[in-house]
Amino acid sequence: MAEDFVIRGAQVCLPDGVRTTDIAVADGKIAGIGDGLSARDVVEAEGMLLLSGAIDPHVHYNEPGRTDWEGWATGSLASAAGGASCVFEMPLNAHPPTLDAESFDLKRRAAEASSVVDFGLWGGLTPVNLDKMRELGERGVIGFKAFLSSSGLDDFRRSDRETLRQGMKIAADLGLPVATHAEDEEMVARLAAEAKAAERCGVRDYLASRPIAAEVAAIREACELAGETGCKLYIVHVSCGEGLDVVAEAKKRGVDVTAETCPHYLTFNEDDVEKIGADAKCAPPLRNEATRADMISRVKRGDVDTLGTDHSPCPPSMKQGDDFFAIWGGIMGAQQFIPGLFGAGLDSETVARLTGPNVAARFGLTGRKGSIAVGYDADLLLIDPRRVCEVTASGLLTRHPISAYIGRRFPVSVRNVWVRGTCAWSEQSGRGGATGRLVKGRAAK
Ligand SMILES: [Zn+2]
């Protein structure tokens, strides 16, 4: 059972602004907000920032089946240390992938056994499991993930236009969002084949094979189909302003679409990919400096709805080799989530909104998670804004000490994360006693 306590004197990000006040936690819930609150246990937090624990809507932990890549124990601890109290885990990298009720149950059991943060599970939308989407909805998936380009894994197939249309109809009926990895398959496959045929397999060749035009074309297609089917659409990892423009136009037409971006698109540019190498390979790829700077202004302006890490780990052996196309794509960044966002120059209110209420609203968790308000789960994130944190390989909590962020310094550090009132992570003492629970999506009873 969670201990009751008070967090005293922090600058608290509340739904209506930032205020210095006290927060009381009882029975795992936020029980009171106001000055002069007391309890037997008090966390003195003067000068600290208190946010609702981040909800990271986009992580890959790869368990069951590929725990040599990451796993729930290490992945969720890294997420907690990065400021998250809840994560939504993607359906493709586990084996079996999350394509039916049975695979959902397997993953749920693995997560309940070792996750330190609460978790939602994405189900897959692929050509082979349209008839299983309803059972996934009933089990409680938070939404469905579809790839418009190849996923890189043979057992999680790409959706062609007709599959996506059919899947969106079912998702709309269930009231669940569809997330799309939006890059145009025809364009990226052709460009990759041309580069490989010419034996151009370096960093710049890879970057050139996944242009902004491919991303924009796929976002446009997904928005069109979402409009047609009435499906809630969630575009993951938008990397460029042009992509956000397509989303904004679709919103104006009445399409129910939101855009996510990731800290790495706000932190690194394509020159960094050359410097860092394989650890900074992802898809869509990191863009040029002008695009990175533009993405930061757009996040500040409100063009981006949510932020997720797309923490995408793999073993060191898959991050090696001379052929940049063959190296596994994915940036491991769960542990740098919230510090990385402050490092990109975002203020606490923007960070709080895009990792809290906006995520909760999109996935039907408003009233329970994502804000500091009485009656909400006591998912809390205490940040020390005076303590710089530097990313070192030895400080990484992930299974493999790999991260594009190694050597980076952030202006803030994560002090504590509580999940429903129980410590999940403390900078002083490491892992706490929290155990994660399933957070169900809208279609579950
Ligand atoms: Zn991803």
Side-chain angles (χ1 to χ4, degrees), residues 245-322:
D245 286 341
V246 177
V247 170
E249 286 158 23
K251 278 182 181 171
K252 261 191 216 155
R253 294 197 307 272
V255 178
D256 186 356
V257 55
T258 54
E260 169 197 277
T261 193
C262 314
H264 44 262
Y265 297 114
L266 312 179
T267 306
F268 305 109
N269 61 31
E270 54 189 18
D271 300 332
D272 294 316
V273 190
E274 278 203 305
K275 278 182 232 150
I276 298 165
D279 297 352
K281 180 185 173 182
C282 61
L286 298 168
R287 306 295 189 187
N288 66 27
E289 178 55 22
T291 297
R292 183 190 79 92
D294 180 46
M295 285 299 288
I296 294 175
S297 346
R298 283 166 176 271
V299 169
K300 290 179 178 171
R301 222 157 62 204
D303 292 359
V304 172
D305 300 283
T306 54
L307 293 158
T309 60
D310 193 6
H311 175 69
S312 182
C314 69
S317 59
M318 292 175 73
K319 283 289 190 192
Q320 281 155 20
D322 296 329

Side-chain angles (χ1 to χ4, degrees), residues 58-60 90 92 145 147 181 236-237 310-312:
H58 191 162
V59 301
H60 302 259
M90 285 293 173
L92 57 149
K145 171 79 176 287
F147 271 77
H181 177 122
V236 294
H237 54 48
D310 193 6
H311 175 69
S312 182

Side-chain angles (χ1 to χ4, degrees), residues 379-399:
D379 297 343
L380 296 165
L381 160 60
L382 192 63
I383 293 170
D384 189 340
R386 297 158 306 194
R387 203 175 133 92
V388 169
C389 81
E390 182 168 349
V391 183
T392 59
S394 63
L396 295 176
L397 299 161
T398 41
R399 170 138 310 181

Side-chain angles (χ1 to χ4, degrees), residues 35-229:
D35 299 343
L37 299 179
S38 62
R40 211 179 49 173
D41 286 317
V42 175
V43 179
E44 294 293 353
E46 231 170 87
M48 305 276 176
L49 276 171
L50 187 70
L51 275 64
S52 184
I55 306 172
D56 184 348
H58 191 162
V59 301
H60 302 259
Y61 291 162
N62 319 313
E63 182 181 359
R66 287 192 182 91
T67 45
D68 51 326
W69 292 29
E70 183 67 272
W72 281 94
T74 50
S76 69
L77 188 61
S79 287
S85 55
C86 181
V87 298
F88 301 162
E89 210 267 344
M90 285 293 173
L92 57 149
N93 310 78
H95 191 77
T98 316
L99 299 179
D100 55 20
E102 208 182 334
S103 50
F104 178 96
D105 292 345
L106 284 172
K107 188 180 277 185
R108 178 179 179 169
R109 277 202 287 278
E112 284 172 343
S114 52
S115 183
V116 303
V117 298
D118 283 348
F119 54 91
L121 301 180
W122 288 93
L125 187 176
T126 76
V128 301
N129 79 316
L130 292 176
D131 59 338
K132 307 289 186 187
M133 287 174 66
R134 283 181 194 284
E135 64 183 45
L136 282 167
E138 282 161 20
R139 281 297 204 274
V141 289
I142 207 79
F144 298 99
K145 171 79 176 287
F147 271 77
L148 305 195
S149 58
S150 159
S151 78
L153 291 163
D154 293 336
D155 54 8
F156 197 94
R157 288 175 53 193
R158 176 179 89 78
S159 288
D160 54 76
R161 190 178 172 89
E162 195 46 37
T163 299
L164 188 59
R165 177 185 280 122
Q166 293 308 324
M168 280 182 168
K169 280 186 191 163
I170 299 165
D173 198 39
L174 293 167
L176 288 171
V178 166
T180 53
H181 177 122
E183 285 182 291
D184 184 82
E185 173 66 10
E186 207 191 299
M187 203 181 300
V188 297
R190 177 174 50 79
L191 291 169
E194 283 171 15
K196 287 180 205 169
E199 291 180 36
R200 290 185 281 109
C201 295
V203 171
R204 293 281 169 184
D205 306 310
Y206 170 76
L207 297 176
S209 77
R210 305 190 88 102
I212 283 175
E215 188 177 346
V216 167
I219 294 175
R220 186 163 284 137
E221 180 176 31
C223 286
E224 253 172 56
L225 290 173
E228 181 191 315
T229 56

